[in-house]
Amino acid sequence: MKATPFEFRFRLVIGLLLYFLGFWAPWARYSGTGSVSTTWLELSGALASAHWLSLNSATILITAIAILCAVKGTIFRVWGTAYLGTAVVHDSSMHGAQVVAAGPYRYVRNPLYLGTFIFSIAVSILMPPTGAIFFLLAQAIFYLRLVLGEETYLTAQQGEAYLAYKQHVPRFIRSLRARVPASAAKPEWLTSILAESYYISLTVCFAVLAWRYNAYLLTKCVVICFGASLVLRALLPRMAPPSTTSHPRNEENSAGD
């Protein structure tokens, strides 16, 4: 079930394809069932129809949850990239020198993938319901395949050192306490913030504009924020990861991961 080297190399493109299919949802758009709604509206309507909340309260609740998911996912992305290094995060090949035991990697082995998925829950409310289901399921499967491929590579590269780390630190569920001793790695916060500009800028858009309840406006923000992040990413120096950082993982900063 692990991902192929091709999938890892082109994970940004695959992530973009999942975004596109989630928003487009051709199976719903061309099924002849009429206009395509958004998950945002459908969830709010479902809560109201069940008489749990009024439509206004239900819409506010869904909006607040989406914003919280965007914030939480962005925190994981920025935190993980700060300790891993943007050069490793953006590289098309895996890195397996040593094991990082710093920042979020003391609590969860895959903070970048975890952060991306949590963030994607927020974005999915802008998609048609079936598009959102497809998007989240396909993304979960794709990321799991990438992680399984990375784990095989890291085990081969590091042997017992990685197996010990793997045994103590959970794969996706963040531990409430640090599971391994801290290393001397120092975070690169500025470059991390620049590298994760898509997540940061779109989170700001959600926090400010979501209360207008305009899915089309936020969808435009997705496109603009991602396009701007690609430009900024191209301008970032291809710096080597911090010498004291030792995590062997390589996760892509993309709209899809």
Side-chain angles (χ1 to χ4, degrees):
M1 188 179 176
K2 64 183 181 180
T4 63
F6 176 87
E7 289 174 273
F8 189 87
R9 180 182 180 88
F10 293 101
R11 60 198 181 280
L12 171 62
V13 177
I14 294 172
L16 277 174
L17 178 62
L18 296 183
Y19 258 71
F20 177 75
L21 289 175
F23 275 104
W24 184 28
W27 49 85
R29 197 170 299 276
Y30 302 113
S31 62
T33 57
S35 60
V36 178
S37 183
T38 65
T39 302
W40 197 357
L41 180 60
E42 294 298 325
L43 282 177
S44 301
L47 290 176
S49 298
H51 303 292
W52 292 350
L53 296 167
S54 67
L55 180 59
N56 183 60
S57 297
T59 305
I60 291 174
L61 176 62
I62 297 301
T63 304
I65 291 174
I67 293 172
L68 287 175
C69 285
V71 171
K72 186 69 173 179
T74 297
I75 289 172
F76 272 117
R77 290 292 314 186
V78 174
W79 194 17
T81 299
Y83 280 92
L84 190 58
T86 58
V88 176
V89 171
H90 292 162
D91 203 353
S92 61
S93 60
M94 296 184 189
H95 292 251
Q98 295 174 309
V99 179
V100 158
Y105 299 98
R106 300 177 65 203
Y107 301 87
V108 61
R109 298 203 308 267
N110 300 279
L112 298 182
Y113 289 138
L114 175 61
T116 303
F117 186 78
I118 295 174
F119 184 89
S120 295
I121 295 173
V123 178
S124 70
I125 72 167
L126 306 175
M127 301 174 179
T130 57
I133 293 171
F134 164 81
F135 173 64
L136 294 176
L137 285 178
Q139 192 181 73
I141 293 170
F142 179 51
Y143 288 163
L144 178 59
R145 286 172 53 81
L146 289 174
V147 166
L148 292 176
E150 291 175 0
E151 289 179 350
T152 300
Y153 173 81
L154 299 175
T155 300
Q157 291 291 312
Q158 301 178 31
E160 291 299 324
Y162 180 69
L163 290 175
Y165 172 78
K166 182 179 176 181
Q167 182 179 5
H168 287 91
V169 181
R171 177 185 283 161
F172 290 123
I173 306 300
R174 184 195 185 281
S175 174
L176 296 178
R177 61 180 180 85
R179 304 300 294 271
V180 291
S183 71
K186 295 187 181 300
E188 298 287 341
W189 292 113
L190 179 58
T191 54
S192 176
I193 289 171
L194 295 175
E196 302 300 328
S197 60
Y198 165 69
Y199 297 91
I200 295 172
S201 58
L202 190 55
T203 296
V204 172
C205 288
F206 262 89
V208 175
L209 301 176
W211 305 109
R212 297 176 63 176
Y213 308 116
N214 187 329
Y216 178 69
L217 175 62
L218 286 175
T219 300
K220 290 197 294 184
C221 289
V222 171
V223 176
I224 294 170
C225 290
F226 181 69
S229 73
L230 288 182
V231 174
L232 186 56
R233 173 177 159 175
L235 298 176
L236 283 174
R238 303 294 291 180
M239 300 185 306
S243 59
T244 53
T245 303
S246 52
H247 195 271
R249 187 158 310 288
N250 182 342
E251 295 172 289
E252 183 65 49
N253 173 17
S254 74
D257 76 2

